[in-house]
Amino acid sequence: MSRQRSLTAFARVFAIAGLVAGTGVSLYSPAVQAADAWPSKPVTVIVPFPAGGGTDAFARPLTAQLSKQLGKQFVIDNRGGAGGTVGASLAAKATPDGYTIFIGGAHHAIAPSFYKKLDYDIEKDFIPVTVIAQPPQVIVVNPNKVQANTLKDLIAYAKAHPGQLNYASAGNGSAHHLAGELFKLQTQTDLAHVPYKGAGPALSDLIAGQVDLMFDGLGSSAQHIRAGRIKALAVAAKTRSAAFPNVPTAAEAGVPNYEVSTWYALWAPKGTPKEVVDKLYAETTKALNSPEMKAIWLQNGSEIPQFTQEQFAQFQRAEIKRWAEVVQRSGAKID
């Protein structure tokens, strides 16, 4: 009798499994199915600055590697303007299905204290995925316009000619802008700010001699430093860059504690399924640790960051607090 009951129970399970298979219904949960299927079509990657800047220098190789790994295209959509906040606003309002993601950076930790009427909240409207690069800022000058061979030379000239030197940035409220304001505070110099709609256009004008200097992420300046179009006076980091070992740190060059990284990161719109976010994190980590990415990151002056999702969230909160203090102390405003 016991054997008969066991056979009957087995038959019922077998029959249910057959019905499920016959109707095409999966025993997996919808969330697991979504993660397994993602991506089933191209993914739009909003980059909130024009092509040619630091964000692009890391976003394009990363998206190419993700496309290779996942078999679907990750397509960059450059949406510049207002220190990166235009693109961030678009990304915040995107359908949270995993098919629109956002690559921004340090600028978006500055924006909350700089722009008083943002229509998005970087902490509440996005899910932090991971930091993808942390190149240090580098202080670069046009060698034909600024006759300074060292950072001390630059500071001495700026103090002797207050307000005559100008510096370009990727826009009001960008990391480049606030790096300049922090530099002015620490060196007690007066430099005029010239905002652009991205690091690419700012660099072009620096190279052309339309502006004097720039506090730029090493990722976007690297190729131009190597080509001799611009001169690097110091990196804003604790240690020298492995990519440019002959360029001193700001501390070595006479400005202690001047440390700024133009970090870049990946977010997903709030509401994106956790399983999809986890898969995006895993695939991004895999991509970043590939030999191809390590070589490109080294050329761009950045090591491969190692952030968990929670560590990124904590880092983001700390950066928002840090830059709020700089904005308050410097009185930085839209020019």
Side-chain angles (χ1 to χ4, degrees), residues 268-283:
K270 182 182 178 181
T272 302
K274 182 179 185 302
E275 291 75 14
V276 172
V277 173
D278 289 346
K279 186 173 181 180
L280 176 60
Y281 170 78
E283 292 291 341

Side-chain angles (χ1 to χ4, degrees), residues 46-322:
I46 293 179
V47 170
F49 293 101
T55 318
D56 248 31
F58 294 100
R60 290 192 181 274
L62 175 60
T63 53
Q65 185 68 17
L66 288 172
S67 299
K68 178 181 174 182
Q69 286 177 196
L70 289 162
K72 296 294 178 184
Q73 287 297 309
F74 282 67
V75 183
I76 287 181
D77 182 7
N78 291 100
R79 297 295 189 101
T85 61
V86 171
S89 177
L90 287 170
K93 296 174 179 62
T95 303
D97 56 4
Y99 291 97
T100 299
I101 57 178
F102 178 62
I103 293 182
H107 322 286
H108 299 95
I110 294 168
S113 56
F114 193 85
Y115 291 91
K116 303 305 180 187
K117 295 183 179 180
L118 290 178
D119 63 352
Y120 71 91
D121 186 310
I122 195 66
E123 292 189 278
K124 295 178 180 178
D125 295 329
F126 287 94
I127 300 170
V129 181
T130 193
V131 176
I132 63 171
Q134 279 186 291
Q137 285 265 359
V138 60
I139 302 167
V140 287
V141 299
N142 180 300
N144 298 317
K145 286 202 69 181
V146 180
Q147 303 301 309
N149 292 315
T150 67
L151 192 59
K152 287 183 178 179
D153 290 343
L154 177 69
I155 294 169
Y157 184 89
K159 286 186 174 181
H161 303 84
Q164 291 187 23
L165 288 176
N166 57 43
Y167 74 96
S169 83
N172 285 301
S174 65
H176 312 79
H177 178 193
L178 269 295
E181 294 304 309
L182 181 61
F183 181 82
K184 287 162 60 178
L185 282 172
Q186 293 190 354
T187 60
Q188 297 183 343
T189 52
D190 180 13
L191 306 173
H193 174 225
V194 183
Y196 287 78
K197 290 186 177 180
L203 269 172
S204 294
D205 268 13
L206 176 63
I207 292 165
Q210 300 300 313
V211 286
D212 300 318
L213 66 141
M214 189 170 175
F215 302 86
D216 190 31
L218 192 51
S220 49
S221 279
Q223 60 177 315
H224 304 298
I225 295 169
R226 290 192 182 95
R229 301 185 192 102
I230 53 179
K231 181 186 292 184
L233 299 183
V235 291
K238 282 187 173 70
T239 59
R240 296 191 181 198
S241 166
F244 295 92
N246 294 326
V247 178
T249 66
E252 290 173 332
V255 187
N257 304 315
Y258 183 71
E259 296 174 17
V260 184
S261 73
T262 304
W263 53 270
Y264 303 99
L266 177 60
W267 288 265
K270 182 182 178 181
T272 302
K274 182 179 185 302
E275 291 75 14
V276 172
V277 173
D278 289 346
K279 186 173 181 180
L280 176 60
Y281 170 78
E283 292 291 341
T284 301
T285 301
K286 177 182 175 182
L288 290 174
N289 286 284
S290 68
E292 299 94 327
M293 293 296 97
K294 287 183 177 180
I296 294 170
W297 264 228
L298 178 62
Q299 284 291 309
N300 286 343
S302 177
E303 296 181 356
I304 302 295
Q306 302 294 333
F307 279 80
T308 65
Q309 291 167 266
E310 179 55 36
Q311 285 171 337
F312 174 27
Q314 293 172 355
F315 174 71
Q316 176 178 259
R317 285 192 291 271
E319 283 286 279
I320 289 171
K321 180 179 178 181
R322 177 198 184 191

Side-chain angles (χ1 to χ4, degrees), residues 317-331:
R317 285 192 291 271
E319 283 286 279
I320 289 171
K321 180 179 178 181
R322 177 198 184 191
W323 289 114
E325 292 172 354
V326 174
V327 169
Q328 183 178 21
R329 286 175 56 205
S330 69

